[in-house]
Amino acid sequence: MKRIAIAIHGGASQDSDFIRQNKTGYEEGLKAAVQAGYAVLQKGGSAIDAVERAVNCLEDNPLFNAGRGSALNNQGKVEMDAAIMDGENLKAGAVAMVKSVKNPISLAKKVLEKTSHVLLCGYGALKLAKEAGIVLEEDQYFITGHQLDEFKQANLEETGDILLKKQVHGTVGAVALDEYGNIAAATSTGGTPNSLPGRVGDSCMIGAGCYADNRTCAISATGDGEYIITGVIANTISLYTELTGKNLQEACDYVIKERNKDTPGDMGVISINKNGEIGITFNCERMHRAWIDTNGNMEARIYK
Ligand code: ASP
């Protein structure tokens, strides 16, 4: 039997009325996305194509904070970040502060495939999107009633430091192992609600919110991006497995719950290695997540 596996997430933070009310929709969205990515692997597709496919599904689903349904910054605008990394060759592509791009993860993949750079921002990323024939949408496509309500609510409250204010987060991500023994990671986000314009989070930063190396593991992170950046979370998990030989679940637990136990931010990670082991850890009330293991068993969960 071919050894393939995939894990995805749809964000980690505190619980909310909206999440409870839409529990079934979230679970269905997670299952559809993990199955779509798995179908790519079953047909002999690559890990990098599988993570792109799974993330595309979540970007298109308005319940999740990526693509359609992205969070709004404090100007009421959508600015999205995404990154993708191929563990076979350590090639990566990422985009920051993009608007109009229906599927930012697919644009990040174009950066990987078509340029000699890793990260393109704003107008330059949009130029590549147009040249590469990436699907663009009007601003209204991205804005959902829920995110508009969140924006209005945030503007009624005193905002202050975005790190001091507890936020309900989103972000989506995927990690996969293909039948050729290669792993890949992808992360895509609408960012932190009510952030300053121009704020860039961890999701598009290789080594923070996204990382993949066949020799260690593939990781996608979610949560308070500023702490994921300063904790260099994804690369730390990878390096920890390399230096200690500990299994993936132990490595994720150590980095999130021990090494960063005093970090006041919410954090969650999904990871996979070339044996198909999956590690998932979060330090907050819930993490939307689903996986299909090497035996073909699927699970989708939101709470502990
Ligand atoms: N990490 C993302 C960011 O800071 C947000 C999230 O995961 O909810 O942009």
Side-chain angles (χ1 to χ4, degrees), residues 264-294:
D266 294 334
M267 290 187 201
V269 290
I270 55 169
S271 61
I272 201 164
N273 65 15
K274 66 177 177 9
N275 301 321
E277 287 165 11
I278 292 172
I280 301 179
T281 302
F282 54 105
N283 68 358
C284 41
E285 285 175 356
R286 57 95 204 164
M287 179 171 182
H288 288 64
R289 61 208 190 274
W291 63 94
I292 300 178
D293 66 19
T294 50

Side-chain angles (χ1 to χ4, degrees), residues 169-171 189 191-192 199 201-203 222-225 228:
H169 289 290
T171 289
T189 191
T192 298
R199 178 261 186 192
D202 61 294
S203 308
T222 175
D224 286 297
I228 298 171

